[in-house]
Amino acid sequence: MRYLGCHLSASNGNLAMVKTAESIGANTFAFFTRNPRGSRAKKEDPADCGAAVAALKEKNFGKLVAHGAYTMNLCTADAEARDFACQVLCDDLRRMAALPGQYYNFHPGSHVGQGVEAGIEFIAAALKKALEPGYPVTVLLETMAGKGSEIGGRFEELKAIIDAVGSDNVGVCLDTCHVYDAGYDIVQDLNGVLAEFDRVVGLDRLCALHLNDSKNPFASHKDRHECIGRGSLGLEIFRAIVNHPSLAGKPMILETPNELPGYKQEIELLRGL
């Protein structure tokens, strides 16, 4: 089974997202838990969550991949902002308990001059605190392009966070644009990159993928997404990904610069591959 979907707006509720996903041929989807450029979250609606859970089961959807706000930097040098980011993470995982068994993905953060080791320590401490209540959610660290002081551009950095947290409920979401921009050549050697990931992190920790082409060349450390087959990655790598036995059954989420009709076309394209 291939679980393909895209980012959807959560403004009309969880059940509405399930119906929208089905209308474009998706059998998974992603959504922001709160304003992606801020911190405000919608009022919780237990009835809507319950209806969505029932619909997901009835329609045999794969796991969903919720996304934390871009502004949530768990390793910023500003202690007050760092504490607030940790509070947001804790609240997001609590809210995710209403949709049990799904994934919660986020950008690890930027250490802004403190150094990678310090950044990893801050991220791990926040994750330990947020995971302590044992909510039914697996947290995913997203692979990053490595621009500026971003953490997560190297597999070793993700492994260090996972080891420091020491929980089975931490995994990785591999973003094709980010990992290519970071210097992992999935176009020429997908098997080699997956083998490297397995050696460093372990493929058992690879839980989901973001499928994005890139507007920039290999190892550019830029992070600008492009529509499938229209960027520097090209179409054939996505054929390899959706057919790769090691990636079967994992939710694959489109984050390309599209609206719903474009996502529908890309999902059809990927299924056709």
Side-chain angles (χ1 to χ4, degrees):
M1 175 70 76
R2 294 298 184 269
Y3 295 108
L4 298 170
C6 63
H7 256 282
L8 297 177
S9 170
S11 59
N12 294 320
N14 297 296
L15 182 59
M17 287 192 289
V18 177
K19 293 178 178 178
T20 299
E22 189 179 28
S23 74
I24 61 172
N27 55 359
T28 182
F29 58 87
F31 63 95
F32 285 105
T33 52
R34 58 188 65 230
N35 181 345
R37 302 293 179 185
S39 62
R40 192 170 184 175
K42 277 187 62 180
K43 182 179 178 180
E44 294 170 86
D45 186 343
D48 174 61
C49 286
V53 168
L56 291 168
K57 183 176 180 180
E58 177 190 349
K59 300 177 188 302
N60 296 313
F61 268 51
K63 288 180 181 289
L64 309 184
V65 187
H67 203 305
Y70 294 132
T71 52
M72 187 182 75
N73 186 359
L74 297 174
C75 58
T76 176
D78 184 326
E80 186 175 337
R82 194 168 62 242
D83 182 63
F84 180 72
C86 184
Q87 292 177 40
V88 168
L89 175 65
C90 290
D91 188 53
D92 274 356
L93 297 198
R94 179 192 63 79
R95 291 165 65 94
M96 284 296 296
L99 296 168
Q102 312 304 330
Y103 293 133
Y104 174 85
N105 172 73
F106 75 103
H107 294 182
S110 295
H111 64 73
V112 288
Q114 301 174 99
V116 172
E117 288 187 7
I120 287 171
E121 288 180 8
F122 285 133
I123 296 165
L127 279 171
K128 281 184 178 180
K129 182 176 181 179
L131 287 165
E132 190 174 5
Y135 299 123
V137 57
T138 298
V139 176
L140 305 185
L141 305 164
E142 185 168 339
T143 59
M144 301 306 295
K147 66 177 188 286
S149 62
E150 275 184 343
I151 291 177
R154 306 305 302 169
F155 295 157
E156 289 80 5
E157 295 169 7
L158 302 176
K159 172 64 170 173
I161 296 170
I162 292 169
D163 286 350
V165 176
S167 171
D168 291 337
N169 292 325
V170 181
V172 174
C173 176
L174 188 150
D175 185 299
T176 55
C177 169
H178 294 176
V179 81
Y180 187 71
D181 283 9
Y184 291 98
D185 196 352
I186 55 174
V187 173
Q188 298 297 325
D189 190 14
L190 174 62
N191 286 331
V193 172
L194 291 178
E196 177 70 359
F197 184 93
D198 191 35
R199 183 186 68 79
V200 176
V201 182
L203 280 173
D204 58 316
R205 295 279 187 173
L206 180 53
C207 299
L209 294 94
H210 285 166
L211 301 188
N212 303 299
D213 212 321
S214 175
K215 290 182 181 292
N216 292 291
F218 175 64
S220 61
H221 305 288
K222 296 280 189 174
D223 183 13
R224 291 191 65 205
H225 298 186
E226 180 57 282
C227 294
I228 300 299
R230 299 183 187 176
S232 59
L233 275 73
L235 185 60
E236 288 308 305
I237 181 55
F238 295 100
R239 186 192 306 275
I241 288 170
V242 297
N243 289 295
H244 201 288
S246 295
L247 305 177
K250 302 181 190 298
M252 299 180 178
I253 304 295
L254 291 160
E255 293 183 315
T256 51
N258 267 313
E259 300 295 333
L260 285 177
Y263 283 134
K264 184 176 188 295
Q265 290 176 358
E266 288 191 334
I267 289 169
E268 291 173 350
L269 171 65
L270 291 169
R271 291 203 188 283
L273 297 178

